[in-house]
Amino acid sequence: MVRCGAAALRKYGSFIDGLRLYVRGGTGGMGYPRLGGEGGRGGDVWFVARERTTLKSIRDRYPHKRFVAGTGANSSVRALKGDKGQDCEVAVPLGVSVLCDGGRQIGELNAAGERFLAARGGLGGSLATNFVPCKGQKRILCLDLKLIADVGLVGFPNAGKSSLLSKMSHAKPQVASYPFTTVQPELGKLMYKDYKQVLVADLPGLIEGAHANRGMGHKFLKHVERTKQLLLVVDISGFQLSIKAPFRTAFETVVLLTKELELYKEELLSKPALLAVNKMDLPGARESLRELVQQLQQPHDFLHLLEEEMIPARTLEFKDVIPISTYTGEGIEELKACIRRSIDEEAERENEEYRKKQLRLLQPSAGDRR
Ligand SMILES: Nc1nc2c(ncn2[C@@H]2O[C@H](COP(=O)(O)OP(=O)(O)OP(=O)(O)O)[C@@H](O)[C@H]2O)c(=O)[nH]1
Ligand SMILES: [Mg+2]
């Protein structure tokens, strides 16, 4: 479970994906005892999902992070029922989960215009309450952002995820020859000739032991929870974090990435996945690729050679394995086409499922026909 304490509110440079807010519904208005009037209800605090809003913009605009709705109007001789207090609307980004202070998820806002009642206003004073108004609900809530992208890039540091994103889209993520260049998630848009757009999220690199918070940990994997597909990127020449760390071949990096995904959330392994094998321009890459393909085809012949704690319970099935080089441009167009095909297939499958479900609802059951 995600804890809602200060530690859970992460901040990467200027990007933040967690924010803690105080919300309070308005107090009700006073009742009017002499005429049995009823005060207006206090206003409510709502979270409303809006495009082009970020958690950072909320924090910058409202540094106090307090949101209090208006007080209900008092009942008077002219208006026995007082008016409701003004609602307070907080624009939040799409993909936000609302957590209560204990860390339990109580809401989710995924589409523009969706609303979540964050704090209810108090009732106005009336005969039932001896004309004394009630206070509004007050609580501390956390907004936890998960990027909504179609494809999430997952790979060891230095595999070339950011280089790939910049090659495929207009995004300009930072690229450098040291591990952990990317410290905050970044989105890029793939544009297709028929104007279809696919959103790709570039994430900081994962390493083995990320689940135990090694490297940058695997907290960024929450951003792939909502992506429809995974695109694993591996360096054909393998990976070594430091001289002291063990060298891992491309196959081992695939296995270790699978293990980290599994340890984070097993369901992630059911997402459709593609594998981009990068740096095919390096010498010896062709032979290594042949070996990698063989290992991926018969993983069980090779898995037992690895240390036991590296082996995942399930292996990832890749829809396509595409050799690429972001330097020479090899395979980039093909990869884009594979991503598109995979996204379309998935959409088709979802449509089919939806159609079947509707048909089942429309068809009367055997019992009804009798
Ligand atoms: N030879 C070769 N090098 C590449 C290729 N693609 C990327 N690189 C290099 O690999 C290094 C890492 O690239 P990045 O794109 O920063 O890798 P990353 O996976 O985003 O790394 P992190 O952000 O640290 O996780 C850089 O020095 C790139 O120039 C390629 O196709 N061939
Ligand atoms: Mg990067």
Side-chain angles (χ1 to χ4, degrees), residues 202-218:
D202 176 24
L203 301 178
L206 272 186
I207 54 170
E208 55 191 293
H211 65 277
N213 224 11
R214 280 197 63 213
M216 309 256 287
H218 65 185

Side-chain angles (χ1 to χ4, degrees), residues 14 19 25 64 87 93 101 107 117 133 141 155 162-163 170 185 210 238 248 253 275 305 324 328 348-349 360 364:
S14 61
L19 192 64
H64 45 74
D87 285 349
D101 208 18
L117 181 58
L141 296 177
S162 305
S163 312
H170 294 297
R248 301 299 188 195
T253 57
L275 176 66
L305 302 171
I324 60 164
T328 62
E348 184 54 39
R349 200 185 55 75
R360 246 178 278 134

Side-chain angles (χ1 to χ4, degrees), residues 15 17 22-23 68 76 143 147 153 179 189 221 268 344 351:
F15 174 85
D17 62 3
Y22 171 83
V23 289
V68 180
S76 66
L143 299 178
L147 297 178
L153 294 182
K189 234 183 240 169
L221 281 181
L268 292 185
D344 288 350
N351 276 346

